[in-house]
Amino acid sequence: MRMTSFAATELGRLFPSLLATPRNPRPVLSPLGRSPETLVSFSSSIRAAPAALELCVRNGRAPVVAAGTKHLIGSLTKTEGLKFAVVVARFNEIITNLLLEGALETFGRYSVDDDDITVVKVPGSFEVPVVAQCLGKSGKFDAILCIGAVIRGDTSHYDAVANSAASGVLNAGLSSGVPCIFGVLTCDDMEQALNRAGGKSGNKGAEAAVTAIEMASLFKHHLLK
């Protein structure tokens, strides 16, 4: 107790403002249920926070207000000047042609000029990524749309091609710095593929084209501006 009193006396002598009694002390019950104690006020050493960063306490919680947050999103209407390449696998051509048709129709619907679209055909989905990477690094395109169809067979070949196509398209985008959109169908059978190439499940080529437009706009008008 003597040591505590001595320390308090010394603190009071060196820093009198720390032990200043507030004008309206707030009573608080001590943990042991003793008589109310007075809180020590440190208000003299705390500056008022700017109004923009005030914390509004509701229900015992203090939500942090983030001022000036920016939200960036690609536009589907500002397509003028955007250039696209479409890499299409010829294998399972009955499917990939439908996907390509859906993509081109969508580009036209969003006012992308035909002269700003380049279609490149490759043997199969396995060859799509390397061509996408080459086109991305050329600097001529704002986004690359990759189209293919891999349908499961009786061997493990399906898994090898599907996995390679997916990781390859991802790496093409990362290495080139240009959005490479994955529009390769991976289906169990031909019926599934047809349903996703304009059937009851829509056209995944069209959906991928919308993604390509949004990503191209995001990069050109925001990220690379």
Side-chain angles (χ1 to χ4, degrees):
M1 292 295 292
R2 291 180 180 178
M3 184 67 71
T4 304
S5 300
F6 175 76
T9 303
E10 286 300 302
L11 281 173
R13 184 175 63 82
L14 295 173
F15 305 103
S17 63
L18 292 179
L19 299 179
T21 304
R23 292 181 181 178
N24 298 307
R26 293 181 294 157
V28 211
L29 288 176
S30 68
L32 299 178
R34 298 174 182 171
S35 59
E37 300 173 353
T38 301
L39 286 178
V40 178
S41 172
F42 295 94
S43 58
S44 59
S45 62
I46 301 176
R47 296 182 179 179
L53 297 178
E54 267 187 27
L55 298 180
C56 301
V57 180
R58 295 186 182 93
N59 300 324
R61 295 182 181 180
V64 179
V65 179
T69 302
K70 292 183 179 179
H71 297 270
L72 306 180
I73 187 171
S75 171
L76 294 177
T77 57
K78 297 172 64 175
T79 58
E80 185 178 357
L82 295 178
K83 298 186 181 298
F84 300 90
V86 185
V87 185
V88 188
R90 287 187 286 104
F91 194 78
N92 288 322
E93 200 165 26
I94 188 174
I95 303 298
T96 59
N97 280 345
L98 292 173
L99 296 173
L100 174 60
E101 182 180 328
L104 295 179
E105 287 180 356
T106 300
F107 282 136
R109 191 178 306 119
Y110 286 95
S111 303
V112 177
D113 197 318
D114 289 344
D115 293 336
D116 292 330
I117 304 171
T118 299
V119 177
V120 181
K121 294 198 172 185
V122 298
S125 296
F126 192 85
E127 290 73 37
V128 168
V130 66
V131 176
Q133 178 176 287
C134 181
L135 292 170
K137 288 184 175 182
S138 71
K140 298 178 181 179
F141 303 100
D142 296 294
I144 316 296
L145 174 52
C146 303
I147 288 178
V150 185
I151 300 175
R152 187 181 298 277
D154 296 329
T155 67
S156 60
H157 181 69
Y158 164 89
D159 296 310
V161 175
N163 292 334
S164 297
S167 60
V169 171
L170 172 62
N171 288 330
L174 293 175
S175 64
S176 66
V178 174
C180 291
I181 312 304
F182 188 71
V184 178
L185 294 184
T186 54
C187 303
D188 287 329
D189 51 47
M190 184 63 72
E191 183 181 0
Q192 277 188 2
L194 288 169
N195 283 336
R196 289 159 176 73
K200 61 184 180 183
S201 299
N203 190 306
K204 301 306 178 183
E207 293 177 14
V210 173
T211 302
I213 294 171
E214 184 174 335
M215 289 296 290
S217 172
L218 177 63
F219 271 62
K220 185 165 188 174
H221 299 307
H222 298 294
L223 302 184
L224 302 180
K225 191 173 181 181

